[in-house]
Every structure is written in structure tokens, then in C-alpha cells.
Amino acid sequence: MYEFKEEYKTGIDFVDKEHKKLFEIAENAYQLQQNNFLHDKYDQLVAILEELREYTKLHFSHEEAYMKEINYKGMFTQKTQHDAFVHKLEDINFNTLDNGSDDAVNDILTFLTNWLVEHILNVDKLISRKK
């Protein structure tokens, strides 16, 4: 369901590799949500969200270091968007996840997918064009 497609490639190898990993994390959350045989998904969902938080921070630090290295003019905008995304992930209330994990996973996946696709296509792809 969540697949890193050719159209998402920026042409910057490490960025593309890390974006692909973010899609894999989203796919893991989706597969968890679709598992009807597992009634208590809370612990696994928390683990996936923790991985998403940590990997996102790592990815953003790499991307921001690269933008600084190439003196990318859009870095401030990127950093602002990155910070807002991390803040959104940190605001996830784990108590709500336990009460209705499928709905919570849906909300998180929708947010994650929309953000990833929009950000990659409309912001990240600009980095390689303005080296």
C-alpha cells in the first residue's frame, strides 16, 4: 500500500534511501492496522511510532546538513516544515492510541502519507534542482 515510487526520487541517493525507509515504516503501520487477528496492537503501534519519530529526526538532520553543505537557499523553509512535522509526531497521545488504535493509525497514516508525498514532491525535489 505504501510504496516509494519512482516519481518521489529527488536524485540525491541518501535522501531517496531515507525517504524509502519512511515509506517502509508507514507500510509497517498499515500492515499492523490491517491485521484482524491481533486485537491488542498498542505495543506494536507505539514501537512503530517511536521508530518513525527517531528515524524522522535522523533523516531531517541528514537532509539539513546536506542543504547547509550546498548552501541551499530554501533551507529555512525546509527546517520550519521539518520542525512542525517532528512536533506533530511528538504530540501524538499514546493514551488515545490504546482506546481506538485502528482510528488512530488511520489518522497517523493519512497525515504521514499526505505530508511525505507533498513534502517530497513540492519541497525536497527542489533541493537537487538548486545545487
Side-chain angles (χ1 to χ4, degrees):
M1 174 79 184
Y2 293 88
E3 178 185 349
F4 183 75
K5 300 175 183 174
E6 190 70 28
E7 67 192 87
Y8 302 144
K9 288 188 176 179
T10 63
I12 305 165
D13 289 339
F14 83 90
V15 171
D16 293 336
K17 182 179 177 187
E18 291 179 1
H19 285 166
K20 184 176 181 181
K21 174 68 175 172
L22 290 169
F23 276 87
E24 289 170 4
I25 296 169
E27 178 64 20
N28 291 341
Y30 175 75
Q31 292 300 325
L32 175 64
Q33 178 201 35
Q34 295 301 306
N35 186 341
N36 294 325
F37 298 108
L38 184 62
H39 296 291
D40 186 8
K41 302 173 184 178
Y42 179 77
D43 291 338
Q44 290 172 317
L45 182 57
V46 168
I48 290 170
L49 289 176
E50 287 296 331
E51 179 184 18
L52 177 63
R53 284 179 183 165
E54 294 309 309
Y55 195 79
T56 298
K57 290 176 187 176
L58 179 70
H59 166 63
F60 288 163
S61 71
H62 292 162
E63 201 172 81
E64 290 166 10
Y66 177 74
M67 288 186 286
K68 186 175 182 179
E69 180 183 311
I70 66 166
N71 215 11
Y72 180 62
K73 303 293 183 223
M75 185 171 168
F76 177 77
T77 302
Q78 280 268 33
K79 176 118 177 74
T80 301
Q81 291 181 7
H82 290 170
D83 291 347
F85 185 79
V86 169
H87 183 70
K88 174 81 172 175
L89 291 177
E90 289 176 344
D91 278 350
I92 295 171
N93 182 344
F94 287 118
N95 292 328
T96 5
L97 295 179
D98 202 21
N99 295 333
S101 59
D102 283 344
D103 290 339
V105 173
N106 271 336
D107 292 345
I108 293 164
L109 285 173
T110 299
F111 167 74
L112 176 61
T113 305
N114 290 339
W115 196 91
L116 272 176
V117 169
E118 289 299 314
H119 187 79
I120 291 170
L121 291 177
N122 298 319
V123 182
D124 283 348
K125 287 187 100 168
L126 295 175
I127 298 169
S128 62
R129 294 186 193 133
K130 298 191 178 179
K131 285 198 259 184

